[in-house]
Amino acid sequence: MTKHVGVIPELDGRGLKEADMGMITLARQKDTHLFALVLDGSDETLKEKLSSYGVSTLVDIRLAGDLQHNPEVRAKAVIGAVKKFGISAVFGLSTARGKDLLPRIAALLESPLVMDCFNVDLEANIAETSRYSGKTLAKIKVTGPVPIFGIRPNAKEPVREPVSAKIIQFDAGAIASTQLRVVKTGETGKGSKISLAEAEIIISGGRGMKNGENFTQLFQCAEKLNAAVGASRVAVDSGWVPYALQVGQTGEKVSPKVYIACGISGSIQHFAGMKTSGMVIAINLDTAAPIMSNCDYYAVADALEVVPELTKLLEKSACVT
Amino acid sequence: MKLFVCVKHVPDSAAHIAIIDHIRIDENISFLLNPYDEHALTEAVRIREMNPGSEVIAVCLGKADAEKTLRSAMAMGADRGILIKTDKRHDSIETALALKTAIEQDGSPALIFTGKESIDDQGMQTLFRLGALFDFPAATNVVRLDIVSGKAVTDTEFSGGVVSTYEMSLPCVIGAGKRLNTPKYPTVRDVMRSRKSPIQAFEFSDLNMETPKARMEVIELIPYIQKRQPKEITGSPSEIAQKIVEILKNEAKVL
Ligand SMILES: Cc1cc2nc3c(=O)[nH]c(=O)nc-3n(C[C@H](O)[C@H](O)[C@H](O)COP(=O)(O)OP(=O)(O)OC[C@H]3O[C@@H](n4cnc5c(N)ncnc54)[C@H](O)[C@@H]3O)c2cc1C
Ligand SMILES: Nc1ncnc2c1ncn2[C@@H]1O[C@H](COP(=O)(O)O)[C@@H](O)[C@H]1O
């Protein structure tokens, strides 16, 4: 029997993100009919894009304008669509927004939920995630109505599979939100523009960067690389960069394609946040630093000398193309 | 006001995790108070100081040894503790139900504090499940809390430095993020005093709860194997940079 599977894309200003496409690819399994549950407005372009990854039905969820950003209202609207379209499993992203939305849906539906999944087998209802500060992988068997899976961004390479699709409007109706009100949403002005959890490349600095000013080197290089800047806890605790940039067990968990660690020793707690990266490149003065024996490439060098050279080279190659 | 703080007894993040029978870990390692719960506790103590007559109660579902975590919580300022003893590992659905039942037996909460995440299960959901069971609003990764005219005003931090300010009716559930405050580590005197603070302990089965229908069950634990084989990049800083660019282009294909 065909399973109705809901996917919740997290749209930003530019539409569908790379991480959304990976998540949808993971949700597309044997005998599934994919419904995209879209909360942030849909159009033909979005439909085209979603359908090229196997989404057959785009459910355009209509919410009262001023309640658009209320996570409680969003959760209830998704639940409305889940019931209306007979959806039996929901996939979303384990991003900061996902962490504020998916557990709300699971709690209200009394559904099982696994966050930060690398893989999901819908037939067996088994999700793979990490446990114990990332030191082990765990297979979790879920039982109960409408299991929900938060997928780690970049856990799966997007693969296209075009289908024909239709848009259905779904009016979520009047959802009361008496308990939680969104006062405002804004940027603190700190942090890089590209979200750490979703970046393809992360260039991170640790104690070896020596001070906050030297982090400018990383920001400049990141701009040329289209990368996000990360940091170790030492760099954050020293006040060089805001906490939002911390990678690790008590910071962000990331899986970029490439992680470049500059002046980071590679403590257990730092690894907990970046060990699932595709490629790890370490620049460190000390050959004996743990990260040097647990990476793909290492250079025994001064990060403060290599990073500016890297930026220079990237500037040059940008001029050529 | 009764301020409840849910504290979890978790393996030390620096401890070596050894897997037994592919399904559980060797618990013969040091356990401590979940790091995010330290922030939850610190905030509850701060709210208590501003509201004379209030009480901070730490609640834990865990093995008998979790008493240590409750003692740490009391050394950090909790007035007393509640320990729901169990030898089993419960999923977040059952955990939330047990915490709710125990809290309710103790009295009506004005606020419930939790961490945004436990570092062992990394479930990221117990707070929302508690909220739904009580029908209280909840917020996660809270980095600021103010109580203003009978409401909780919180900042939740998202990636890229984006912050949303929520206003919630009381009672509510606050999932503490790391930037909420800076925990103060207890002095020897705090530790001595906490030894005398009361802990009410009872068995999980004493809660007489129905088993929830939905379940999340660990069926296999696999050590995270590091497969990386490091290769050295040599040369002057500019040669190293050149080689990195080539690797990014040709091997990682991200440029
Ligand atoms: C409960 C708990 C949670 C934690 N959570 C986290 C977390 O989420 N994230 C995290 O990162 N840490 C976390 N930590 C801290 C962690 O244990 C380490 O202390 C921290 O990661 C070390 O940061 P670092 O690598 O920048 O500094 P160090 O370990 O001091 O390493 C600095 C490295 O830089 C190298 N170096 C120095 N100068 C240069 C230079 N000019 N060029 C190149 N290399 C240079 C040195 O050789 C050294 O290897 C946590 C700790 C605890 C107890
Ligand atoms: N067994 C437990 N006992 C007490 N509090 C818990 C327990 N499990 C989870 N919590 C609380 O719920 C938060 C989130 O946990 P989790 O949903 O597992 O990530 C933790 O930071 C604790 O505050």
Side-chain angles (χ1 to χ4, degrees), chain B residues 158-175:
Chain B
F158 297 97
S159 39
V162 174
V163 166
S164 286
T165 306
Y166 297 152
E167 181 190 87
M168 295 186 286
S169 53
L170 295 180
C172 65
V173 184
I174 303 290

Side-chain angles (χ1 to χ4, degrees), chain B residues 13-32:
Chain B
S13 66
H16 173 71
I17 301 288
I19 298 169
I20 301 175
D21 298 336
H22 307 285
I23 190 126
R24 58 198 173 87
I25 64 158
D26 180 354
E27 297 200 338
N28 210 350
I29 47 176
S30 76
F31 274 64
L32 36 72

Side-chain angles (χ1 to χ4, degrees), chain A:
Chain A
M1 218 186 66
T2 308
K3 259 194 170 179
H4 289 191
V5 174
V7 297
I8 308 176
E10 212 176 271
L11 305 177
D12 60 13
R14 288 160 295 157
L16 214 57
K17 299 189 287 197
E18 184 86 4
D20 289 319
M21 298 181 256
M23 178 269 290
I24 295 169
T25 304
L26 194 57
R28 196 175 70 214
Q29 301 191 10
K30 199 167 148 251
D31 295 327
T32 50
H33 178 114
L34 293 191
F35 289 74
L37 310 177
V38 179
L39 290 152
D40 296 304
S42 74
D43 54 28
E44 283 298 315
T45 336
L46 181 66
K47 188 187 92 176
E48 290 311 312
K49 192 98 198 228
L50 284 167
S51 67
S52 66
Y53 286 90
V55 171
S56 314
T57 309
L58 189 166
V59 181
D60 176 13
I61 301 181
R62 295 298 175 90
L63 282 165
D66 60 333
L67 292 176
Q68 193 67 44
H69 299 293
N70 187 309
E72 234 178 37
V73 173
R74 290 167 74 88
K76 287 178 184 163
V78 169
I79 291 171
V82 162
K83 296 200 166 136
K84 163 98 183 187
F85 298 99
I87 286 169
S88 61
V90 174
F91 285 66
L93 285 173
S94 207
T95 53
R97 288 280 166 200
K99 290 173 193 171
D100 194 21
L101 176 68
L102 304 177
R104 291 181 190 275
I105 301 171
L108 290 171
L109 278 176
E110 296 180 36
S111 292
L113 162 73
V114 184
M115 292 298 281
D116 209 22
C117 301
F118 312 122
N119 206 357
V120 176
D121 176 346
L122 271 179
E123 264 181 303
N125 271 322
I126 293 172
E128 287 171 46
T129 181
S130 77
R131 285 268 163 120
Y132 301 102
S133 323
K135 280 177 231 163
T136 73
L137 299 185
K139 290 192 180 170
I140 315 279
K141 165 116 187 142
V142 297
T143 315
V146 203
I148 298 173
F149 306 101
I151 309 301
R152 178 182 279 208
N154 300 328
K156 178 102 181 165
E157 190 76 25
V159 180
R160 294 166 60 94
E161 188 179 284
V163 293
S164 66
K166 59 174 186 295
I167 300 186
I168 301 180
Q169 276 171 10
F170 172 70
D171 188 349
I175 297 173
S177 158
T178 47
Q179 297 194 323
L180 186 150
R181 193 170 73 80
V182 180
V183 181
K184 65 170 195 287
T185 292
E187 285 186 33
T188 54
K190 293 181 209 151
S192 61
K193 287 181 198 76
I194 302 168
S195 128
L196 259 185
E198 293 159 56
E200 278 207 346
I201 310 179
I202 293 175
I203 182 159
S204 266
R207 196 197 302 273
M209 294 307 292
K210 305 227 164 37
N211 57 48
E213 249 152 66
N214 288 340
F215 259 83
T216 318
Q217 288 190 359
L218 296 181
F219 283 104
Q220 283 165 350
C221 189
E223 206 181 310
K224 298 286 170 277
L225 281 170
N226 205 15
V229 174
S232 74
R233 174 156 138 183
V234 168
V236 169
D237 285 353
S238 311
W240 302 342
V241 287
Y243 169 64
L245 303 196
Q246 183 176 317
V247 171
Q249 177 210 303
T250 45
E252 201 80 45
K253 314 276 188 306
V254 300
S255 291
K257 286 188 179 151
V258 181
Y259 189 87
I260 309 176
C262 307
I264 292 180
S265 62
S267 63
I268 288 181
Q269 293 92 352
H270 192 78
F271 263 106
M274 44 61 77
K275 67 207 297 179
T276 52
S277 304
M279 176 191 281
V280 176
I281 303 177
I283 307 170
N284 198 306
L285 284 172
D286 180 7
T287 333
I291 197 155
M292 303 294 258
S293 52
N294 206 347
C295 62
D296 299 287
Y297 287 100
Y298 66 96
V300 186
D302 187 340
L304 300 174
E305 289 175 12
V306 175
V307 175
E309 288 293 333
L310 197 53
T311 312
K312 243 192 274 170
L313 273 174
L314 293 162
E315 257 161 13
K316 264 192 230 146
S317 63
C319 295
V320 176
T321 50

